Amino acid sequence: MGKWLARLTALGVALVLAAPVTAAQAADPATTGKKTVRIGSIQSVDSMNPFLAVRLIAGQLQRWTYMFLTAPDPKTLKPGPDLAESWESSDDGLTWTFKIRQAKWSDGQPVTAHDAAWTFNKIMTDDAAKTGNGPAVENFETVTATDDRTLVIKTKAPQASMLSNPIPIVPKHIWEKVGDMATFENETYPAVTNGAYIPIEHKKDNYVKLKANPDYWQGKPKIDELQVIFYENPEAAIAGLKKGDIDLIGRLAAPQFEAGAGDANIVQWNTPGRRAAYLQINHGATTSDDKEIGDGHPALKDPKVRQAIHHAIDKQALVDQVQNGLAVPASGSIVPPMYTDFFWEAAGADKISFDLAKANQILDEAGYKKGDDGVRTMPDGKRKLEMRFSIHTDTPTEDKLAQFLTGWFKEIGITLTTRKLDSNKFTEETGSTALFDIAISGWSVNPDPEEVLATHLCSRRPTPTGEGGGTESFYCDKQYEDLYQSQLKELDATKRADMIKQMQQRLYTDAPVIAIYYPNNLELYRKDRITSITPIPAGKQGEGILYGGASGYPMITLDAPAVATGASSDGGGSNTGMIIGIAAAAVVVLGVGGFLLSRRRKTTSDERE
């Protein structure tokens, strides 16, 4: 994954208030007379090249602008048609044949199976092209187009996650001309795409503009233009929403979400989320060739110390005090509860509860003695248990988390010192150089959790030269690896789900990461500007995500009033209110372009998925 970009924690962000970027005014639909919807984002695009992009917002843009082989069904989140109309697999599960639908690229050229074959083969053979989604093709043996409408993928072993492939299909006739993929930013506009929208303009760190694709296979979207306006921090974005510079913002932390209360034009959308927040533990990081790397505290190599640390975390208190009650405490799974098939929770004697006495007992028995100052030392007496906690600069929710952990850890003889890093430094130290002890972390999980499971594989550790493979924990464990390979080959859904739960149990027991809670999906929108949108999953009252869900479906269902030239943008528009749900939505479009899987996206200003 190269040097992946800093992570947005499930804790959310609360930065110093700054004025909205000037792009908000520049993109004002009041001067266009078009149906325009503006989405606020506190994360800017790292690259418009889908082979390189690793940030969450880039993944969202890909789902709005490109087609994928399959896409989550809006109601069930099970794989449904997109670029592939239908598919079948051989009896041995090694050969998949996809029927590619007839569609057009935005430059008028036909979309064919050759485009898909070229896309996959490029990732299989070009190291730079592997940056965004390389692991998704690691099990591919060959990919060929036998004719314009038929794509054949042969795998080395059966692959249960085949229909959740996260790779957007690009036009061969455009991309085969690219020389150095590692430096190509794909910023010629209008871009050539085949999804619901076409990128037409991008000003780095300010905005991206997309226009509706009249040739989209499901029909042209009802709005004319979709814009993403970038802000330096959530408070600035909330101010922009209240002023009317943007119409919707998602992925908020509790304080920013609660700031939307009391405004008659703003609706608070609070539903179950798809993120897990956890602590990343430097348990003895190594590179992909098993060489030690970094400067993690040696005590963290001891599973007993990691277990004691786990006992010293009151997760319910963190939910109540850090997330203002807008989260669910975690008792095991790195897959959030909304994915019931794969969610796992420890119970009985296996459950690690908040118990400072137990934590102290574990450390006492393991030989970590307390000194007169109350701080423990290594069994050999040579080093105190003084550790660093890495968080992001200017993130009050993480500061608050650090305060709680510092107090609890002191009770068990561990000194914790908070270390604030900017996004780039944070990502480098926690994902490549391993210059940390404990860090805040998290992941947005897809309907098929294969991606997040893969971030804990041996192969995801950085190379000897420091290039990242997308690790989330520097973990390398034979039991975990064997389970991963077994579930990948298991085509029986029930058996596979059980293996995935065993993988999560292994992470829970060995604790390279410690799940702390699952944040709610917190969003705000202007009901006077958005007249129709359907969340995903759709159809259940009080559920579903508008922005940042498992597909781009909600953005395809959007409708908004046209704003006449010269009209005010400060809340002007329809007052019909927002219609949520399939039955009431003005637009119901089945199937959607692409999965949210980004090997990517997580933190405050640079969220990974």
Side-chain angles (χ1 to χ4, degrees):
M1 186 164 315
K3 291 184 178 179
W4 21 293
L5 305 160
R7 317 171 177 187
L8 183 129
T9 74
L11 300 173
V13 210
L15 305 180
V16 178
L17 183 61
V21 293
T22 55
Q25 288 79 25
D28 187 350
T31 62
T32 67
K34 300 176 181 178
K35 286 186 175 183
T36 302
V37 171
R38 303 152 300 179
I39 298 172
S41 174
I42 57 170
Q43 179 189 57
S44 60
V45 175
D46 52 329
S47 178
M48 295 296 286
N49 179 343
F51 294 99
L52 299 182
V54 296
R55 289 184 182 174
L56 173 65
I57 182 60
Q60 296 282 17
L61 287 166
Q62 290 169 21
R63 289 193 305 281
W64 303 337
T65 56
Y66 290 99
M67 292 165 63
F68 296 60
L69 281 184
T70 64
D73 178 270
K75 289 185 177 180
T76 67
L77 299 184
K78 303 294 184 184
D82 197 34
L83 180 60
E85 291 182 317
S86 60
W87 49 85
E88 60 182 14
S89 65
S90 59
D91 291 340
D92 61 7
L94 297 177
T95 301
W96 289 79
T97 303
F98 295 88
K99 181 182 178 182
I100 303 301
R101 74 173 64 255
Q102 292 190 345
K104 289 182 181 180
W105 294 106
S106 55
D107 63 356
Q109 295 293 313
V111 178
T112 71
H114 299 284
D115 296 306
W118 186 91
T119 300
F120 291 128
N121 278 292
K122 184 64 175 177
I123 299 175
M124 293 165 65
T125 58
D126 186 323
D127 285 343
K130 291 176 168 53
T131 303
N133 289 297
V137 298
E138 284 181 356
N139 188 44
F140 287 10
E141 186 72 47
T142 61
V143 183
T144 55
T146 57
D147 57 48
D148 285 353
R149 304 265 73 84
T150 307
L151 180 76
V152 178
I153 300 177
K154 293 186 177 181
T155 59
K156 301 170 188 175
Q159 185 164 328
S161 61
M162 177 63 75
L163 297 180
S164 298
N165 190 283
I167 296 171
I169 305 304
V170 303
K172 175 185 176 183
H173 67 282
I174 298 295
W175 285 85
E176 65 183 353
K177 300 173 186 176
V178 174
D180 183 4
M181 185 65 74
T183 60
F184 182 65
E185 290 300 322
N186 190 34
E187 292 192 343
T188 299
Y189 299 106
V192 178
T193 63
N194 57 4
Y197 296 96
I198 303 166
I200 57 173
E201 188 178 344
H202 172 213
K203 185 174 181 181
K204 188 173 178 60
D205 298 328
N206 283 320
Y207 62 85
V208 174
K209 291 184 181 181
L210 315 169
K211 71 174 182 179
N213 182 0
D215 295 319
Y216 181 51
W217 73 272
Q218 296 186 82
K220 180 182 177 181
K222 285 199 171 183
I223 66 168
D224 300 296
E225 197 167 287
L226 182 63
Q227 300 175 0
V228 183
I229 312 299
F230 304 128
Y231 289 83
E232 292 183 2
N233 57 67
E235 281 78 9
I238 299 302
L241 183 74
K242 291 183 175 181
K243 183 181 177 183
D245 289 334
I246 56 174
D247 307 316
L248 181 150
I249 185 167
R251 312 195 69 82
L252 296 170
Q256 293 80 47
F257 176 75
E258 292 172 342
D263 189 315
N265 286 321
I266 295 177
V267 172
Q268 294 176 294
W269 187 250
N270 175 9
T271 59
R274 55 186 288 264
R275 282 188 62 76
Y278 40 80
L279 302 181
Q280 180 182 355
I281 310 294
N282 191 341
H283 54 88
T286 56
T287 55
S288 57
D289 62 346
D290 297 320
K291 299 293 192 306
E292 290 190 3
I293 186 176
D295 63 356
H297 197 292
L300 294 173
K301 295 180 180 180
D302 187 345
K304 292 293 186 182
V305 174
R306 301 198 296 272
Q307 184 183 32
I309 286 174
H310 200 162
H311 275 294
I313 302 171
D314 187 341
K315 298 173 184 178
Q316 185 63 58
L318 294 180
V319 166
D320 295 339
Q321 300 299 321
V322 176
Q323 288 293 304
N324 297 0
L326 300 176
V328 177
S331 295
S333 184
I334 60 171
V335 175
M338 72 175 292
Y339 299 128
T340 55
D341 290 345
F342 303 109
F343 177 68
W344 175 81
E345 195 167 26
D350 294 331
K351 185 174 181 178
I352 298 176
S353 58
F354 175 58
D355 190 336
L356 294 176
K358 179 69 173 178
N360 275 302
Q361 178 185 347
I362 291 171
L363 293 173
D364 287 340
E365 293 176 353
Y368 297 87
K369 297 180 180 179
K370 283 186 179 181
D372 294 338
D373 58 358
V375 180
R376 295 182 183 273
T377 59
M378 296 286 291
D380 60 10
K382 292 183 178 179
R383 184 170 176 180
K384 291 185 175 183
L385 269 59
E386 296 172 333
M387 302 178 186
R388 301 158 294 177
F389 182 43
S390 298
I391 65 172
H392 297 84
T393 303
D394 298 324
T395 52
T397 50
E398 294 181 13
D399 278 323
K400 199 170 185 179
L401 171 70
Q403 292 170 14
F404 279 99
L405 294 182
T406 299
W408 293 326
F409 286 17
K410 182 178 179 180
E411 292 294 319
I412 65 171
I414 297 176
T415 298
L416 195 65
T417 302
T418 301
R419 188 163 182 259
K420 297 183 180 182
L421 304 172
D422 65 46
S423 294
N424 290 332
K425 193 69 173 175
F426 184 96
T427 298
E428 177 184 316
E429 294 193 359
T430 61
S432 297
T433 60
L435 301 175
F436 76 101
D437 295 320
I438 304 172
I440 185 62
S441 190
W443 198 271
S444 293
V445 181
N446 293 315
D448 188 311
E450 183 275 333
E451 205 308 316
V452 69
L453 299 174
T455 65
H456 303 289
L457 295 175
C458 298
S459 61
R460 301 301 291 275
R461 295 171 297 169
T463 66
T465 58
E467 295 179 352
T471 185
E472 187 61 13
S473 60
F474 291 91
Y475 199 46
C476 185
D477 176 75
K478 186 179 186 306
Q479 180 179 337
Y480 186 87
E481 295 277 327
D482 290 346
L483 283 167
Y484 177 86
Q485 295 302 327
S486 296
Q487 66 81 28
L488 194 64
K489 301 171 186 177
E490 182 54 68
L491 302 181
D492 182 286
T494 301
K495 292 180 180 179
R496 179 177 179 239
D498 183 63
M499 292 175 186
I500 287 175
K501 291 175 182 178
Q502 291 180 55
M503 293 175 69
Q504 295 181 80
Q505 185 173 11
R506 178 59 180 161
L507 290 176
Y508 183 77
T509 301
D510 208 18
V513 294
I514 297 174
I516 50 178
Y517 49 69
Y518 313 108
N520 292 4
N521 168 60
L522 305 175
E523 306 183 75
L524 301 172
Y525 65 84
R526 292 191 65 94
K527 63 182 180 181
D528 57 342
R529 279 293 308 145
I530 296 178
T531 58
S532 177
I533 186 172
T534 305
I536 185 166
K540 291 185 178 180
Q541 186 69 27
E543 294 188 10
I545 298 172
L546 306 178
Y547 169 83
S551 84
Y553 174 70
M555 295 304 130
I556 297 173
T557 70
L558 274 174
D559 201 2
V563 180
T565 300
S568 170
S569 66
D570 58 353
S574 170
N575 290 310
T576 57
M578 185 176 190
I579 305 172
I580 301 291
I582 286 184
V587 186
V588 178
V589 186
L590 297 178
V592 97
F595 288 87
L596 204 240
L597 185 89
S598 351
R599 231 132 229 100
R600 8 185 184 246
R601 320 167 306 234
K602 107 179 159 189
T603 72
T604 51
S605 60
D606 294 300
E607 178 172 359
R608 206 166 162 169
E609 191 149 348

